[in-house]
Amino acid sequence: MLTKNHAQEGLSRAYMQAVSSTARVWMSMHDEFDYGFDGQLDLIADIRVDPDGRQQLIKAGYVIDFQLKCSQNWTEIGDDIVWSIKSSAYNKLAGRGAGAIPSVLILMCLPGDQTPWAEFSEDSLVLRKCCYFTTISGPRLENDASTKQLRIPRRNLLDSSSLLSLLEQNRTRLDGFFAPRAEEAP
């Protein structure tokens, strides 16, 4: 039988697959050797139409790394989801430079009871509860064996609209970073 942790990981991966597919963005999730990140997301660029009318699509180059977590051990306090992350996982997200590929923590919050995690019918597939996202910046934590309590705003619900918004914000940031200055323009 699949372990509870692996079942949770499978549900969080299914959620990510559903969100990225409905947002129509590129997603890749790693099976092994993730070095702290479970996958990447990117916009799709429409570069040209072939003479036969087919579009030629490529990744747009505005990649975001993500670390995917899944837990039953979270609480809702006011407008926030409160969850404790291991410092070793936190440190993989913290401390990236301003020019680095952005990283996002995605937390799937499951109900305490395993029974309603997923429901299947002819009309729908329901995964409970949902995923929230946040970015982590600042210095790494000294003690690699501790935990840090995170507060993730509930408005950071991960759905196709918020995923597209994250990627568009990254596009704007990178375009601004790499845009030629007036004195460099030809």
Side-chain angles (χ1 to χ4, degrees):
M1 183 187 313
L2 198 62
T3 67
K4 183 174 131 185
N5 285 347
H6 287 159
Q8 289 177 324
E9 181 178 348
L11 290 171
S12 62
R13 286 170 155 273
Y15 189 101
M16 286 302 299
Q17 189 68 52
V19 169
S20 64
S21 293
T22 57
R24 301 185 71 150
V25 302
W26 174 84
M27 182 184 72
S28 173
M29 281 193 279
H30 311 298
D31 289 326
E32 56 185 51
F33 308 127
D34 65 27
Y35 295 102
F37 297 94
D38 295 304
Q40 291 186 319
L41 299 155
D42 197 358
L43 296 167
I44 301 295
D46 184 6
I47 58 170
R48 71 172 203 270
V49 177
D50 283 346
D52 63 0
R54 290 185 317 173
Q55 290 179 315
Q56 293 293 315
L57 304 173
I58 62 168
K59 294 184 339 184
Y62 300 101
V63 176
I64 291 177
D65 286 336
F66 66 89
Q67 186 179 105
L68 187 57
K69 297 294 183 187
C70 187
S71 179
Q72 296 171 272
N73 301 319
W74 55 274
T75 55
E76 190 175 306
I77 300 176
D79 293 333
D80 295 331
I81 297 298
V82 179
W83 175 69
S84 293
I85 185 172
K86 292 179 182 176
S87 58
S88 58
Y90 178 92
N91 286 340
K92 292 172 184 174
L93 292 157
R96 280 192 162 185
I101 291 174
S103 61
V104 176
L105 171 70
I106 299 170
L107 173 66
M108 183 167 194
C109 297
L110 292 173
D113 178 16
Q114 295 180 37
T115 306
W117 283 1
E119 260 180 44
F120 308 89
S121 74
E122 288 184 67
D123 296 320
S124 65
L125 161 63
V126 177
L127 293 177
R128 288 192 182 84
K129 172 170 169 358
C130 63
C131 288
Y132 298 95
F133 66 91
T134 191
T135 56
I136 293 175
S137 60
R140 291 179 171 89
L141 301 174
E142 294 285 326
N143 182 351
D144 225 20
S146 65
T147 61
K148 178 168 178 67
Q149 192 175 76
L150 294 181
R151 293 182 80 92
I152 304 171
R154 289 178 47 221
R155 70 178 177 274
N156 287 6
L157 172 71
L158 186 66
D159 60 16
S160 56
S161 176
S162 62
L163 178 56
L164 285 170
S165 180
L166 277 171
L167 288 163
E168 287 296 339
Q169 289 170 18
N170 190 43
R171 177 198 305 250
T172 301
R173 180 186 76 91
L174 288 173
D175 283 350
F177 187 72
F178 290 108
R181 293 179 183 85
E183 64 272 6
E184 296 174 1

